[in-house]
């Protein structure tokens, strides 16, 4: 089998299983199986694929047929222009969460200047660490706490912290939501689980491979966010802020909960790129 034949086989196999991005995914899986990039693959399309690589590739395609997410198979996902290690212990970074980071970086720069000097931030429920690390990379003088209840998630986050060279400024803490924070912060950022328990069976099959604890937010999807808001007043400085990613169906409910927890604060809801309400911002100061 040549590289081209492998590519065409993978494309057809994934397409027949109803995988929309079969074109791109067959290419990504073949590159992963041979340890080469796209340009290197296209430079050898008519060469013969070594048998052991062909076998490896077929195994990867078969894993994808079980609806295992592509990112878990390749063990990586790009987020905010950075490459993150991921596996089934962490939620796969989502494009809508980039907006949370963008808002947080903008708000910190406004108050603390371009490098975020003296800003102390926290990412609650960090998972792969993608939000905390993207903040640390783009605010090169800020300090960031990143919490997670899952030891497995923190192991992945630690790898990513080292990969991006921010171990000196990102402190990983194990525990429930904001409980492990050793000091009040200037900005608390969180993408907590917000899927309704009852919606779980109807989620795309890929999501069933992700940690349930990172997705499910209780009967109405707001359990974790409500708990965080209850503890937040002592964890965020009196002139600090919170930015919370929310389910588009809950933005107003969460905004009301935030107004109740922080009666003196300004609460706003921001849309994502699809125009859906996605981030609730609370400014205390
Ligand atoms: N945005 C994710 C989804 O739609 C959910 C992530 C979360 O619960 N925070 O699947």
């Amino acid at each position: 089998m040549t590289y081209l034949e492998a590519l065409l086989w993978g494309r057809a196999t994934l397409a027949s299983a109803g995988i929309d991005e079969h074109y791109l995914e067959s290419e990504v899986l073949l590159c992963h199986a041979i340890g080469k990039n796209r340009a290197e693959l296209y430079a050898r399309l008519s060469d013969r694929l070594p048998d052991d690589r062909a076998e490896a590739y077929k195994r990867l395609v078969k894993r994808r047929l079980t609806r295992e997410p592509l990112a878990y198979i390749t063990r990586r996902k790009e987020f905010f222009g950075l490459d993150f290690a991921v596996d089934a212990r962490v939620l796969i970074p989502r494009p809508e969460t980039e907006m949370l980071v963008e808002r947080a970086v903008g708000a910190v720069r406004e108050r603390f200047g371009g490098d975020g000097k003296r800003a102390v931030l926290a990412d609650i429920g960090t998972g792969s660490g993608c939000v905390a690390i993207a903040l640390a990379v783009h605010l090169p003088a800020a300090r960031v706490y990143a919490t997670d209840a899952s030891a497995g998630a923190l192991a992945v986050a630690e790898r990513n912290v080292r990969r991006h060279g921010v171990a000196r400024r990102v402190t990983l803490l194990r525990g429930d939501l904001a409980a492990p924070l050793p000091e009040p912060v200037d900005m608390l950022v969180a993408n907590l689980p917000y899927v309704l328990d009852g919606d779980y069976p109807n989620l795309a099959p890929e999501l069933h491979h992700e940690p349930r604890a990172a997705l499910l937010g209780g009967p109405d999807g707001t359990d974790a966010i409500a708990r965080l808001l209850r503890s937040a007043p002592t964890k965020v400085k009196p002139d600090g802020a919170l930015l919370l990613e929310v389910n588009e169906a809950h933005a107003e409910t969460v905004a009301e909960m935030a107004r109740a927890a922080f009666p003196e604060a300004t609460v706003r809801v921001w849309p994502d790129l699809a125009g859906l309400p996605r981030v609730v911002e609370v400014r205390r100061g």
Side-chain angles (χ1 to χ4, degrees):
M1 173 159 80
T2 64
Y3 288 86
L4 178 61
E5 285 164 350
L7 207 48
L8 296 175
W9 171 80
R11 209 180 274 173
T13 305
L14 294 174
S16 66
I19 291 172
D20 292 339
E21 306 269 357
H22 49 272
Y23 203 96
L24 175 72
E25 293 199 12
S26 56
E27 201 177 274
V28 169
L29 291 173
L30 185 53
C31 286
H32 187 67
I34 62 175
K36 306 271 184 221
N37 67 31
R38 212 169 153 254
E40 291 166 329
L41 167 63
Y42 279 89
R44 69 189 71 209
L45 278 185
S46 48
D47 295 355
R48 194 165 173 282
L49 179 63
D51 288 343
D52 67 327
R53 294 303 87 207
E55 286 312 311
Y57 172 60
K58 284 182 191 162
R59 279 196 299 273
L60 298 180
V61 170
K62 284 183 185 143
R63 279 173 68 181
R64 187 66 188 97
L65 294 182
T66 71
R67 294 288 176 157
E68 183 174 356
L70 187 68
Y72 288 159
I73 301 175
T74 61
R75 302 176 81 83
R76 57 191 288 204
K77 179 74 186 178
E78 193 186 301
F79 175 80
F80 217 76
L82 302 167
D83 189 56
F84 288 94
V86 295
D87 63 35
R89 294 175 291 181
V90 297
L91 189 79
I92 299 166
R94 307 284 206 269
E96 58 267 29
T97 305
E98 294 183 337
M99 199 230 143
L100 183 74
V101 174
E102 217 168 285
R103 287 246 155 246
V105 169
V108 171
R109 285 194 175 144
E110 214 176 276
R111 259 191 77 193
F112 295 89
D115 60 359
K117 197 175 165 76
R118 280 189 290 275
V120 181
L121 318 176
D123 172 25
I124 306 302
T126 197
S128 65
C130 66
V131 169
I133 293 165
L135 290 173
V137 167
H138 289 273
L139 298 164
R143 287 195 292 125
V144 188
Y145 293 110
T147 77
D148 209 290
S150 153
L154 288 176
V156 177
E158 193 181 348
R159 236 179 110 191
N160 285 318
V161 163
R162 278 197 255 110
R163 175 180 293 195
H164 293 289
V166 291
R168 223 172 37 78
R169 292 183 297 111
V170 177
T171 307
L172 299 173
L173 300 167
R174 180 156 181 217
D176 182 49
L177 299 175
L181 295 182
E183 60 178 319
V185 298
D186 295 298
M187 179 174 283
L188 192 152
V189 177
N191 173 23
L192 293 173
Y194 55 65
V195 172
L196 281 69
D197 290 355
D199 285 347
Y200 189 72
N202 308 321
L203 296 179
E206 279 79 0
L207 275 78
H208 291 131
H209 291 261
E210 297 190 89
R212 275 175 184 243
L215 284 169
L216 295 186
D220 69 0
T222 57
D223 282 7
I225 292 172
R227 281 202 305 117
L228 176 64
L229 281 170
R230 279 198 292 273
S231 71
T234 59
K235 299 292 182 181
V236 177
K237 288 183 191 170
D239 57 351
L242 289 92
L243 278 171
L244 307 172
E245 180 173 325
V246 298
N247 183 324
E248 66 271 18
H250 298 156
E252 273 318 314
T253 310
V254 173
E256 277 315 312
M257 289 160 69
R259 284 184 193 105
F262 295 94
E264 82 292 7
T266 309
V267 177
R268 261 177 294 198
V269 178
W270 300 99
D272 64 15
L273 292 173
L276 300 168
R278 185 62 65 199
V279 169
V280 172
E281 178 182 28
V282 182
R283 284 200 194 213
R284 299 192 88 174

